[in-house]
């Protein structure tokens, strides 16, 4: 399909490939593929760009190959958004400079870096490059936002430590984007996000000496909650007692994160239910059984809070997932 100077390929392959031979069209496609961005280039006359993308559930992987340019996420563009995402870039060739939160990360092939679409950032490429971008809702990461915020614009190498495990997986997934549109697509997407969460946790552990005591306590509390989500007794009193703190102190920790203990538990339970409802492995399992597994003993209550959180009831989500819905909406 040819529109202006943009060639978009849509075949049985679940991936979408857009080839731009004009900078103006490339700028438009970039904002449609991710979140609205301000894109500039000093090489407009000879600009070339290609964007290849596929997604599953709410996770999108996009390979960008292009000439030198700069993208900016400005306060004005952020003000129009109502959904919060993290993006992670894996540089495959060339270099990129990421600036966010008063930090700069010079990225070379094999490096990854995280950035938050809800805060201003700049990503500059001074030469031809190729990068893989993973974009996903912030709620999919089970770490406090203030801790994850310590990692924005921090280069993480794919050549050692946990990066040597996670980066090759992402690179392989990027080379096989069509797999995200297949039966195992949702599982692959969630695996990618879980691996990223593990990478972030590893990076934060390495920096634990500089973190405050509240951060360490909060990490242990969240790990305990995730390990006990299926327990109907899970609540502030049990969590506080397990960590030898008062319930007031516990509530204070969550208040610092802009949430509450009960909201965090409910969100984590709902996310686990959502994953299982989308997983073909659990297709024959009743909705009520999945809800009960994750601590929701009242089925009507579960359906109500699920629809409030995700916009669709559990049964609607199960029936309505299509290939097109696996991609993030362009207006996100």
């Amino acid at each position: 399909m040819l529109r202006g100077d943009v060639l978009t390929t849509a075949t049985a392959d679940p991936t979408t490939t857009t080839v731009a031979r004009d900078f103006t069209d490339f700028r438009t496609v970039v904002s449609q593929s991710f979140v609205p961005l301000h894109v500039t280039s000093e090489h407009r006359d000879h600009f070339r760009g290609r964007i290849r993308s596929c997604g599953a559930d709410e996770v999108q992987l996009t390979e960008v190959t292009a000439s030198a340019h700069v993208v900016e996420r400005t306060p004005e563009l952020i003000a129009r958004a109502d959904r919060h995402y993290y993006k992670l870039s894996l540089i495959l060739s060339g270099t990129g400079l990421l600036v966010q939160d008063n930090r700069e990360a010079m990225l070379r092939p094999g490096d990854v870096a995280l950035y938050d679409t809800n805060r201003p950032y700049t990503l500059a490429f001074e030469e031809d490059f190729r990068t893989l971008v993973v974009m996903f809702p912030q709620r999919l990461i089970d770490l406090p936002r203030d801790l994850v915020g310590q990692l924005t614009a921090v280069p993480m190498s794919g050549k050692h430590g946990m990066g040597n495990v996670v980066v090759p997986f992402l690179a392989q997934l990027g080379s096989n984007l069509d797999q995200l549109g297949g039966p195992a697509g949702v599982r692959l997407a969630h695996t990618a996000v879980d691996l990223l969460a593990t990478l972030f946790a590893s990076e934060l552990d390495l920096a634990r000496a500089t973190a405050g005591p509240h951060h360490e306590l909060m990490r242990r509390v969240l790990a305990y909650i995730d390990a006990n989500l299926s327990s109907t007794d899970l609540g502030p009193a049990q969590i506080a007692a397990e960590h030898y703190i008062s319930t007031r102190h516990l509530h204070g920790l969550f208040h610092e994160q802009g949430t509450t203990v009960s909201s965090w538990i409910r969100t984590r339970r709902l996310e686990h239910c959502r994953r299982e409802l989308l997983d073909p492995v659990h297709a024959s399992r009743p909705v009520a059984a999945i809800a009960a597994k994750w601590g929701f003993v009242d089925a009507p209550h579960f359906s109500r809070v699920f629809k409030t959180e995700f916009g669709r009831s559990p049964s609607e989500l199960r029936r309505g997932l299509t290939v097109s819905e696996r991609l993030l909406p362009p207006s996100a």
Side-chain angles (χ1 to χ4, degrees), residues 203-220:
E203 292 291 324
L204 289 168
D205 282 342
L206 292 175
R208 183 168 49 186
T210 60
H214 279 194
H215 290 164
E216 174 60 24
L217 175 58
M218 192 64 173
R219 276 201 295 269
R220 289 191 282 112

Side-chain angles (χ1 to χ4, degrees), residues 209-247:
T210 60
H214 279 194
H215 290 164
E216 174 60 24
L217 175 58
M218 192 64 173
R219 276 201 295 269
R220 289 191 282 112
V221 166
L222 296 182
Y224 178 83
I225 289 174
D226 257 21
N228 292 275
L229 283 174
S230 61
S231 172
T232 56
D233 295 327
L234 184 65
Q238 177 184 337
I239 297 167
E242 183 68 24
H243 293 84
Y244 304 101
I245 59 175
S246 67
T247 54

